[in-house]
Amino acid sequence: MARKRPGDLTPIERESMLIRVNTHLEKLLAKANRDKDMLRHMKNHYWARMHVCKAKMKVLKGRLSKALKRRKRSDPLQILAEASLKEHGT
């Protein structure tokens, strides 16, 4: 017969401890799964936001280039107005 040393658990105590540990591990696993789902959601959310921002930047870049091209082009009416002002000496 095996001798019982101090600190050894009886089979009933060992079983109850294993049940408690198992319950604790199940809770940790459930929390890890929730965290994983939340991280997946966050990744998808920020990925979509990034693409929306990229599209907005593309649109704004196009507007800016159009505005700069318009600004570089000489306005014929402005040229005539400047010429007439020079003629009149003003």
Side-chain angles (χ1 to χ4, degrees):
M1 213 158 101
R3 289 179 33 190
K4 185 174 183 314
R5 290 176 283 173
D8 279 352
L9 299 175
T10 63
I12 295 172
E13 291 172 336
R14 189 176 305 136
E15 187 177 345
S16 67
M17 184 186 72
L18 288 174
I19 290 171
R20 280 196 313 266
V21 168
N22 194 26
T23 304
H24 177 69
L25 290 175
E26 285 175 353
K27 286 179 184 177
L28 288 178
L29 180 63
K31 183 183 181 305
N33 286 336
R34 282 194 310 271
D35 290 348
K36 184 182 75 172
D37 289 342
M38 185 182 67
L39 288 172
R40 185 182 299 125
H41 173 74
M42 286 172 58
K43 185 218 36 125
N44 290 338
H45 170 76
Y46 286 110
W47 184 86
R49 267 186 90 168
M50 178 189 67
H51 283 277
V52 166
C53 289
K54 278 185 171 182
K56 284 182 182 179
M57 284 174 45
K58 201 172 190 179
V59 167
L60 292 174
K61 198 174 183 182
R63 285 185 191 169
L64 179 63
S65 66
K66 283 182 186 176
L68 290 174
K69 285 178 187 174
R70 255 187 277 130
R71 193 170 141 210
K72 285 182 182 175
R73 263 191 264 135
S74 301
D75 186 15
L77 292 177
Q78 187 177 1
I79 294 171
L80 289 174
E82 289 174 1
S84 68
L85 288 175
K86 283 183 183 175
E87 279 181 21
H88 295 330
T90 54

